[in-house]
């Protein structure tokens, strides 16, 4: 498949998707989001892929939803057309998805990064939900995922003032898992993705599913769900291989089965 707004490639068992609308700081429009959903679906279906990285440019991961595309929308058009309705498809990806954020991750850009499983940021990253400055509010999950990630006080601060927070503040707040030098960002993220992709794919996908469900279930439900997944992994060849390799003091050779 050819993409108009993305660069899509593979690095061993890692899929790499790079947003590619530099003239608009990777502003997200319908084409970007449709292509992104298709690229992630293709990687989900590809048995040779164990993890996916989503990156932007050095200046911008994404500067938000495309304001030029949105400005003439009215309520009836946006409601009947379910504007941005399918844009959360990214959060439905089943394989681990890591956001590599450099520069601006604003509005929909911050929300897109938060749909990924974790965010590794460059020291230059700036996160924010500036929709309030445009007369609207976050619409791709910012009020929900940001609050779960950083807590009510900081989420209210960011959503109500529209200010940006830098990478150090985002790391302290728990929005990003690590901050690295700009020139090391892609290398660091690809190394993390390669490590994940080297493990048993069923175990990796179930680990993702279990952690993701923790945000939706009660503790008792979540613990039961985790236990069922844990038990089920004893039906895989990779559990036998992983534990046999440990006992034999050798490297496991996972078959992803
Ligand atoms: C998801 C939902 C429901 C909502 C949203 O996401 S609303 C959008 C939230 N994002 C923003 O409000 C950020 C808008 N952008 C900026 O504030 C600035 O561009 C900046 C601070 C990120 C960078 O400023 P800088 O001076 O370095 O660059 P610009 O000259 O402003 O931008 C370069 C080029 O990109 C176009 N651009 C930037 N952001 C967007 C955007 N969100 N939508 C459409 N186009 C965008 C900008 O217009 C300029 O293009 P032109 O030179 O052709 O005007």
């Amino acid at each position: 498949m050819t993409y108009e707004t993305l660069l899509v490639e593979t690095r061993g068992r890692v899929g790499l998707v790079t947003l590619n609308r530099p003239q608009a700081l990777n502003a997200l429009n319908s084409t970007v989001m449709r292509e992104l959903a298709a690229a992630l679906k293709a990687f989900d279906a590809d048995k040779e892929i164990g993890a996916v990285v989503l990156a932007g440019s050095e200046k911008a991961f994404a500067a938000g939803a495309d304001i030029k595309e949105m400005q003439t929308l009215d309520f009836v058009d946006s409601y009947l057309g379910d504007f941005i309705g399918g844009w959360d498809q990214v959060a439905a990806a089943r394989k681990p998805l890591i956001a590599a954020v450099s520069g601006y991750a604003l509005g929909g850009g911050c929300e897109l990064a938060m749909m990924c499983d974790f965010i590794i940021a460059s020291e230059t990253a700036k996160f924010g939900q500036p929709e309030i400055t445009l007369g609207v509010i976050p619409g791709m999950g910012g009020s929900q995922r940001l609050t779960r990630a950083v807590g009510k006080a900081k989420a209210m601060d960011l959503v109500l003032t529209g200010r940006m927070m830098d990478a150090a503040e985002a790391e302290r707040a728990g929005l990003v898992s690590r901050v690295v030098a700009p020139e090391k960002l892609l290398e660091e993220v690809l190394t993390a993705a390669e490590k994940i992709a080297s493990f048993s794919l069923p175990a990796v996908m179930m680990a993702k599913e279990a952690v993701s469900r923790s945000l939706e279930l009660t503790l008792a439900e979540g613990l039961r769900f985790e236990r069922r997944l844990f038990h089920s992994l004893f039906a895989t060849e990779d559990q036998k291989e992983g534990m046999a390799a440990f006992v034999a003091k050798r490297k496991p050779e996972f078959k992803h089965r």
Side-chain angles (χ1 to χ4, degrees), residues 3-7 18-21 29 31-33 35:
Y3 297 93
E4 195 186 310
T5 63
L6 308 176
L7 300 173
T18 308
L19 300 169
N20 189 31
R21 283 192 82 209
N29 62 17
T31 309
V32 177
M33 297 311 290
E35 291 190 346

Side-chain angles (χ1 to χ4, degrees), residues 13-14 48-51 192-201 204 256:
R13 287 184 49 78
V14 174
E48 302 306 317
I49 294 295
E194 278 155 16
K195 177 101 184 150
I196 293 167
S198 75
F199 298 131
S200 167
L201 186 57
V204 162
H256 311 294

Side-chain angles (χ1 to χ4, degrees), residues 68-88:
K68 292 168 190 165
E69 188 182 72
M70 278 187 293
Q71 68 168 331
T72 55
L73 268 184
D74 63 20
F75 166 69
V76 173
D77 286 343
S78 65
Y79 180 72
L80 294 183
D82 193 20
F83 177 59
I84 72 172
W87 290 20
D88 55 0

Side-chain angles (χ1 to χ4, degrees), residues 158-235:
L158 291 162
V159 169
L160 293 179
T161 68
R163 77 172 175 90
M164 295 183 209
M165 76 175 157
D166 64 19
E169 183 180 355
E171 187 182 28
R172 281 196 305 277
L175 180 64
V176 313
S177 66
R178 333 176 189 169
V179 177
V180 299
E183 66 280 6
K184 293 266 182 238
L185 179 66
L186 194 59
E187 182 190 323
E188 181 95 3
V189 180
L190 285 171
T191 301
E194 278 155 16
K195 177 101 184 150
I196 293 167
S198 75
F199 298 131
S200 167
L201 186 57
V204 162
M205 289 176 64
M206 285 192 203
K208 166 171 173 158
E209 211 182 337
V211 176
S212 301
R213 286 299 86 79
S214 74
L215 296 172
E216 297 163 3
L217 303 177
T218 64
L219 180 62
E221 289 164 340
L223 290 170
R224 270 197 299 275
F225 182 66
E226 178 193 77
R227 190 65 49 83
R228 289 291 94 79
L229 293 180
F230 172 74
H231 287 158
S232 71
L233 285 168
F234 285 82

Side-chain angles (χ1 to χ4, degrees), residues 21-28 59-60 62-70 83-84 87 104 106-111 128-131 133-134 136-141 164:
R21 283 192 82 209
Q23 72 286 4
L25 302 185
N26 290 330
L28 308 171
K59 178 161 180 184
D66 193 320
I67 299 167
K68 292 168 190 165
E69 188 182 72
M70 278 187 293
F83 177 59
I84 72 172
W87 290 20
Y104 298 110
L106 302 177
C110 183
E111 292 166 309
Q129 298 291 158
E131 290 90 343
T133 68
L134 300 167
V136 291
I137 68 167
M140 281 169 65
M164 295 183 209

